[in-house]
Amino acid sequence: MWLFILRRVASTVPVMLIVAVVIFAMLRLTPGDPAVVIAGDQATAEQITRIRASLGLDLPIHEQFITWIVHILHGDLGTSIFTNMPVSTLIGQRLEPTLMLTLTTVIFSVSVAVPLGVWAAWRAGSWTDRLIMMFSVLGFSFPVFVLGYLLIYQFGLTLKWLPTQGYKSPFTDPLGFASTIVMPTITLGMIYIALVTRITRASVLEVLGEDYIRTARAKGQIERKVLFRHALKNAAVPIATIIGIGIALLIGGAVVTETVFNIPGLGRLVVDAILRRDYPIIQGLILVFSFTYIIINMLIDIAYTMLDPRIRY
Amino acid sequence: MTEASTHPVLDIRHLSVALPGTGDRTHAVIDLSLTIQPGEIVCVVGESGSGKSVTAQAIMGLLPKGQLVAERGTIALQGEDVLQASPDRLRELRGTRMAMIFQEPMTALNPVLTVGDQIAEMLAIHTDLSSSEQRERVLEMMRAVHLPDVERMIDCYPHQLSGGQRQRIMIAQALILDPALLIADEPTTALDVTTQAQILKLIKEMQERRGTGVLFITHDFGVVADIADRVVVMQHGNLVESGTRDEVLLAPKMPYTQMLIASVPSLVPPHREPVSGPVALQTVNLGKTYQGTGGFLDKQRIVKAADAVNFSLRRGETLGVVGESGSGKSTVARCIARLIDPSEGQILLDGLDIAHLPEKMLRPHRRHVQVIFQDPFRSLNPRRTVGQSIIEGPMNFGLSEHEAILRARDLMGLVGLSPDALSRFPHQFSGGQRQRISIARALAMQPHVLIADEAVSALDVSVQAQVLALLDDVRKRFDLALLFITHDLRVAAQICDRIMVMQKGKVVEEGPTRTLFANPQHAYTKALFDAAPGHDFSSQQSKQT
């Protein structure tokens, strides 16, 4: 088991390296010279050359790459062209809101979606099942920003229960955190609930036809335990997969949600950086997102082996 | 106990179970009555669709909701009618008073829970024992069913155990609370013959020691002969005949029972003339090695699935390959058909070595070797008509559609089906009919070598006899070399000219069927023969014929 985890962690290193190469190449191969962009419209050729030299762009490409990698390993992702601040600092500042929003959304959606899915599977074909599935289709088809504004209108403006905008850190202001995070969580979680409910239903439904479910009933086990102890654990692998993929999707969804609720997270940073063509930030963010995906994938793989003892790599 | 002991363990009176409205039958079980006394083993015998499993489910209260309904009758478990019991009461009874073991020990245990947890679950549901007391009881029970190294095994997952061990776990789980009634639904059908013999012995031992009444469902008369006190024969939901074991097996009164018993292949091989046709197929040191892809930081595992297999097969001859699961018999078959690539050795097909021919050069020879697989429900494409399945092969080898259809119509007649059935889909046929279609499909290629890989194992005994007769007939008619792979010694005895016994990838013994059965040499062959169920039954059979 520990050997497997060690192996799996070790195997992410080459993947991360390949990702780094691709990101590096992507920005070097895209048309347009960052030095020209930085220098602005009225720059002379001499100024551009100087900027190129200061950015290290005049060095051979492999030396650029090695310098870049060494910097990354030291936690140095470069300096923002626009704000002149270190990219790592900028990302660090914006990381917490996005992480927190992702975390609350995952916890909220999984704890709603999995029981709903199991219930729907247990009552397959009944009205309960149809209702849950209808709700799931609705969750898929409802645009994130529409739901966000509807919630703001109802609970923020009409009922005045919750603040409409902003973010408070749970470490300094737990109550403020709770009240600001509720609506973004529901907004972002809706599509996710729909997705996980469907997968859970399908997966559990398949497992419920298995022989060992009959065995569990033949033992006199109560239905709740047949469902959650015997069925759900066997159905867990596809559910874990979709939760993992979902976390990756969430980061995309966070961009819109953060904009709607004015949360100073990574999503906003991405949008701003792209609009300003702030290459170092874009590069740093892609790197951070990619590494997050790689780590999530690794965690899912490890989760598989814990969920199903038959899976060994 | 005092109150319970005055009643039979199980007393079924006039039970009828209704099927949903759409089928061709209205009832799965019709007016069934049977009783089981304490310490008695009652075998319910019947072919598929006889209602024997439905009866078991009705007793346990496990009939699929909304599909099958126990309409009439009573099922008294020690005097208490389970059909009238509330769901909560039924749950109490399951496990404590009645327990069940199933056919497939591979799938009947939950793959993600340890076997110890699954046995202990019984105690957790029905008793107040602490978890350490539960563990003690589980260990004790695992020892009682003769599992080895129980301290280690209790924390194993089902996939780490062999089929026989899993079935022992199922039995331990079923009997840990000393139920009055044990229902065993084909508990040894999925097991190898030597394992089957051990499990039957175990069930008998546990039942004698605990005085359990056993309802034993099976389709195998050999098993019935070994284990039953009384026998109940069912057909289409009706009770056909019941009586003591000897009454039913030795002097069956009803024609259906007589037919069933006559269909059971005898363990005594008939006389067969040696075959002297040309050699169609020969292997020289054929071997197949599997290497586990270990990868990063991992050791490689090497499994020799087939190891230095040598045999030759003449036109018009049937060679039986007999062995238990994992013996390599299917691996050999797949190598010969080049469905998998052999690692070493030669496969001479009409004198030409095809073992390592590249796919392009192999193609013209593919039609000479055809395979009939075990499961007729999965080996025909459900989305294509039978006709499409049959003509596809010949058309790949240059026949026009018209000619191919003509040939398919001929063959359908030959295998005993109407040529008009070509336009129908596989699900519209029964298992036996599908296996006939598979045979027609194979014959359409006009092969020299026909491989039957457990081709009759999934069939009911009466259907099995018919398909065996058909196979023997087409072998003669087309002068085929027939490689017959089976785990069933009875079947092998009846159809094979020669038999090759395999164990762990190696051929341990080979010879003419009659000689081999009369005087097996290798210890493994002897063990196989000893384990075959129903020896007494077989000698009785041979006296009658």
Side-chain angles (χ1 to χ4, degrees):
Chain A
M1 188 70 204
W2 290 110
L3 186 73
F4 161 72
I5 293 177
L6 198 76
R7 271 211 317 263
R8 189 60 187 81
V9 172
S11 72
T12 58
V13 173
V15 181
M16 288 193 179
L17 206 67
I18 292 168
V19 167
V21 171
V22 170
I23 292 170
F24 179 81
M26 224 158 55
L27 280 167
R28 292 301 179 280
L29 296 176
T30 39
D33 187 338
V36 177
V37 175
I38 294 168
D41 294 342
Q42 281 129 32
T44 61
E46 194 187 311
Q47 279 174 313
I48 293 175
T49 315
R50 212 178 324 122
I51 294 173
R52 286 178 66 89
S54 74
L55 291 173
L57 293 174
D58 54 345
L59 297 169
I61 195 128
H62 64 274
E63 276 182 40
Q64 288 186 36
F65 181 68
I66 290 169
T67 321
W68 185 62
I69 290 283
V70 171
H71 283 162
I72 289 174
L73 289 178
H74 286 94
D76 177 7
L77 295 174
T79 309
S80 159
I81 295 171
F82 202 78
T83 62
N84 234 349
M85 282 167 70
V87 171
S88 48
T89 315
L90 281 173
I91 292 179
Q93 286 171 352
R94 302 295 192 95
L95 201 57
E96 189 203 297
T98 303
L99 268 184
M100 283 302 153
L101 179 58
T102 310
L103 199 71
T104 52
T105 307
V106 169
I107 294 173
F108 165 68
S109 344
V110 170
S111 50
V112 172
V114 170
L116 270 186
V118 173
W119 192 19
W122 188 47
R123 291 262 168 254
S126 71
W127 276 107
T128 321
D129 178 28
R130 273 178 230 175
L131 217 67
I132 292 174
M133 283 303 100
M134 235 168 66
F135 167 77
S136 161
V137 172
L138 211 68
F140 268 121
S141 31
F142 222 73
V144 170
F145 64 92
V146 173
L147 180 65
Y149 286 128
L150 277 178
L151 287 176
I152 289 176
Y153 177 75
Q154 185 60 33
F155 296 101
L157 301 178
T158 311
L159 294 170
K160 296 196 190 325
W161 287 354
L162 295 166
T164 57
Q165 291 206 327
Y167 172 81
K168 299 275 187 326
S169 170
F171 306 107
T172 54
D173 183 2
L175 266 178
F177 170 74
S179 62
T180 47
I181 207 78
V182 170
M183 287 198 290
T185 300
I186 296 174
T187 309
L188 187 54
M190 199 47 68
I191 189 166
Y192 202 46
I193 290 176
L195 188 68
V196 176
T197 306
R198 278 207 100 94
I199 298 292
T200 305
R201 177 186 180 274
S203 188
V204 170
L205 196 60
E206 197 183 315
V207 168
L208 282 178
E210 295 286 342
D211 287 354
Y212 48 81
I213 298 299
R214 184 184 54 181
T215 307
R217 289 192 175 127
K219 284 168 160 179
Q221 188 57 281
I222 56 175
E223 277 299 299
R224 185 169 54 79
K225 288 205 172 176
V226 171
L227 286 174
F228 285 92
R229 184 181 150 94
H230 289 278
L232 185 57
K233 203 170 170 212
N234 276 286
V237 166
I239 300 174
T241 312
I242 211 69
I243 289 173
I245 295 170
I247 292 174
L249 291 176
L250 271 188
I251 298 174
V255 175
V256 177
T257 310
E258 284 175 7
T259 311
V260 170
F261 290 97
N262 198 19
I263 296 171
L266 287 180
R268 291 273 302 287
L269 189 61
V270 175
V271 175
D272 292 347
I274 291 173
L275 289 177
R276 293 167 180 166
R277 296 207 197 150
D278 200 335
Y279 286 106
I281 296 187
I282 299 173
Q283 191 172 319
L285 280 170
I286 297 176
L287 200 69
V288 167
F289 284 155
S290 309
F291 285 3
T292 314
Y293 291 160
I294 293 172
I295 290 168
I296 290 171
N297 261 312
M298 179 189 77
L299 292 177
I300 295 172
D301 272 1
I302 293 173
Y304 284 168
T305 64
M306 292 176 176
L307 291 169
D308 191 334
R310 287 167 300 180
I311 298 178
R312 288 287 175 271
Y313 294 92
Chain B
M1 192 64 206
T2 46
E3 187 247 354
S5 60
T6 58
H7 295 285
V9 171
L10 183 71
D11 191 2
I12 301 179
R13 298 258 169 98
H14 307 296
L15 176 69
S16 289
V17 178
L19 283 167
T22 50
D24 50 353
R25 280 164 59 194
T26 55
H27 288 80
V29 176
I30 307 156
D31 197 32
L32 177 76
S33 297
L34 68 89
T35 58
I36 300 176
Q37 299 297 335
E40 191 180 39
I41 300 183
V42 175
C43 277
V44 179
V45 199
E47 301 190 289
S48 34
S50 62
K52 54 195 196 303
S53 286
V54 172
T55 307
Q57 287 169 359
I59 299 167
M60 291 295 287
L62 289 174
L63 288 174
K65 278 201 187 72
Q67 293 174 37
L68 295 170
V69 190
E71 241 180 16
R72 261 192 304 278
T74 56
I75 300 176
L77 179 71
Q78 296 184 308
E80 180 175 351
D81 186 359
V82 294
L83 291 181
Q84 304 300 323
S86 68
D88 283 343
R89 177 64 185 154
L90 256 180
R91 273 200 290 273
E92 265 174 51
L93 292 174
R94 287 183 207 141
T96 55
R97 298 275 200 94
M98 55 182 172
M100 190 159 176
I101 51 181
F102 300 97
Q103 173 171 356
E104 275 286 348
M106 308 283 167
T107 57
L109 287 168
N110 190 329
V112 304
L113 299 176
T114 64
V115 294
D117 279 351
Q118 297 190 56
I119 304 176
E121 190 179 15
M122 224 33 163
L123 301 170
I125 299 168
H126 299 289
T127 70
D128 301 325
L129 295 178
S130 72
S131 58
S132 63
E133 288 168 322
Q134 284 181 13
R135 197 177 166 88
E136 271 316 300
R137 280 284 296 277
V138 171
L139 285 170
E140 189 187 310
M141 193 65 210
M142 285 173 73
R143 280 186 208 106
V145 295
H146 309 303
L147 281 165
D149 199 5
V150 291
E151 300 277 354
R152 194 186 55 82
M153 194 177 276
I154 190 170
D155 295 317
C156 284
Y157 290 95
H159 72 277
Q160 296 167 309
L161 275 50
S162 71
Q165 286 171 338
R166 282 182 240 197
Q167 202 58 298
R168 282 173 197 269
I169 295 286
M170 282 300 289
I171 293 170
Q173 176 179 285
L175 294 181
I176 194 162
L177 291 169
D178 258 321
L181 173 68
L182 175 68
I183 301 172
D185 189 356
E186 305 258 12
T188 59
T189 307
L191 302 176
D192 281 326
V193 49
T194 48
T195 316
Q196 162 168 293
Q198 292 160 11
I199 294 293
L200 287 179
K201 197 170 144 233
L202 175 67
I203 290 175
K204 216 161 167 131
E205 175 196 327
M206 302 304 285
Q207 169 265 341
E208 274 165 11
R209 193 188 299 170
R210 292 160 182 257
T212 318
V214 179
L215 180 75
F216 196 105
I217 294 168
T218 182
H219 68 278
D220 185 337
F221 276 96
V223 171
V224 175
D226 277 357
I227 200 168
D229 294 314
R230 283 193 304 119
V231 183
V232 172
V233 182
M234 287 181 75
Q235 182 195 21
H236 303 322
N238 292 294
L239 187 150
V240 175
E241 182 167 359
S242 71
T244 66
R245 179 189 62 170
D246 290 351
E247 282 167 9
V248 174
L249 290 190
L250 303 181
K253 292 184 196 68
M254 304 302 290
Y256 178 70
T257 317
Q258 289 163 356
M259 185 277 290
L260 270 188
I261 291 175
S263 304
V264 179
S266 160
L267 268 173
V268 183
H271 176 71
R272 294 179 84 104
E273 292 293 334
V275 180
S276 57
V279 171
L281 177 70
Q282 190 178 2
T283 65
V284 182
N285 287 327
L286 179 65
K288 174 69 188 174
T289 310
Y290 284 104
Q291 288 178 336
T293 44
F296 202 46
L297 291 178
D298 211 3
K299 269 191 293 184
Q300 286 214 330
R301 284 191 319 144
I302 291 178
V303 180
K304 286 206 157 184
D307 189 6
V309 174
N310 289 298
F311 69 85
S312 67
L313 178 59
R314 294 174 186 279
R315 293 292 290 261
E317 185 182 38
T318 305
L319 174 65
V321 185
V322 173
E324 300 188 291
S325 45
S327 63
K329 52 192 195 304
S330 284
T331 305
V332 170
R334 283 176 201 157
C335 282
I336 291 166
R338 280 292 302 269
L339 298 175
I340 53 177
D341 291 331
S343 314
E344 63 222 354
Q346 294 175 296
I347 299 165
L348 301 169
L349 183 66
D350 298 319
L352 176 80
D353 183 8
I354 60 157
H356 305 287
L357 275 188
E359 181 61 37
K360 256 199 185 136
M361 291 165 68
L362 178 68
R363 238 179 91 79
H365 304 286
R366 279 214 182 269
R367 71 176 189 86
H368 296 308
V369 181
Q370 289 297 309
V371 191
I372 302 161
F373 295 98
Q374 171 169 6
D375 193 338
F377 290 85
R378 294 202 309 212
S379 56
L380 290 166
N381 188 335
R383 301 285 166 87
R384 316 196 72 189
T385 65
V386 167
Q388 284 170 334
S389 286
I390 296 179
I391 64 173
E392 183 180 5
M395 283 174 65
N396 285 343
F397 285 91
L399 224 59
S400 75
E401 187 171 350
H402 179 69
E403 291 168 310
I405 290 174
L406 281 183
R407 188 186 286 179
R409 291 181 69 90
D410 278 353
L411 286 168
M412 286 297 270
L414 182 84
V415 298
L417 294 169
S418 156
D420 301 330
L422 284 176
S423 58
R424 285 157 65 189
F425 286 92
H427 69 266
Q428 295 169 292
F429 296 92
S430 71
Q433 287 171 329
R434 278 185 234 196
Q435 209 58 312
R436 286 171 190 273
I437 293 166
S438 297
I439 293 172
R441 189 205 54 72
L443 292 177
M445 302 292 281
Q446 301 183 323
H448 300 164
V449 178
L450 189 60
I451 301 173
D453 189 356
E454 299 276 10
V456 298
S457 303
L459 303 176
D460 281 326
V461 54
S462 60
V463 182
Q464 186 182 60
Q466 294 161 10
V467 174
L468 278 177
L470 174 64
L471 273 174
D472 213 35
D473 177 55
V474 299
R475 173 190 59 81
K476 276 188 221 128
R477 192 186 291 250
F478 297 103
D479 199 26
L480 291 173
L482 180 59
L483 190 68
F484 193 89
I485 291 157
T486 184
H487 69 280
D488 189 334
L489 290 169
R490 290 175 177 277
V491 170
Q494 292 311 306
I495 194 171
C496 300
D497 295 302
R498 284 185 302 129
I499 284 183
M500 177 166 105
V501 182
M502 288 191 71
Q503 183 194 21
K504 293 179 187 157
K506 288 197 163 75
V507 178
V508 297
E509 190 167 358
E510 198 247 307
T513 307
R514 232 179 143 83
T515 323
L516 199 88
F517 269 75
N519 190 14
Q521 297 298 313
H522 194 275
Y524 178 70
T525 316
K526 287 180 190 164
L528 267 187
F529 284 0
D530 283 342
H535 275 290
D536 327 342
F537 173 52
S538 206
S539 53
Q540 292 292 344
Q541 252 189 329
S542 58
K543 268 179 218 161
Q544 286 171 350
T545 48

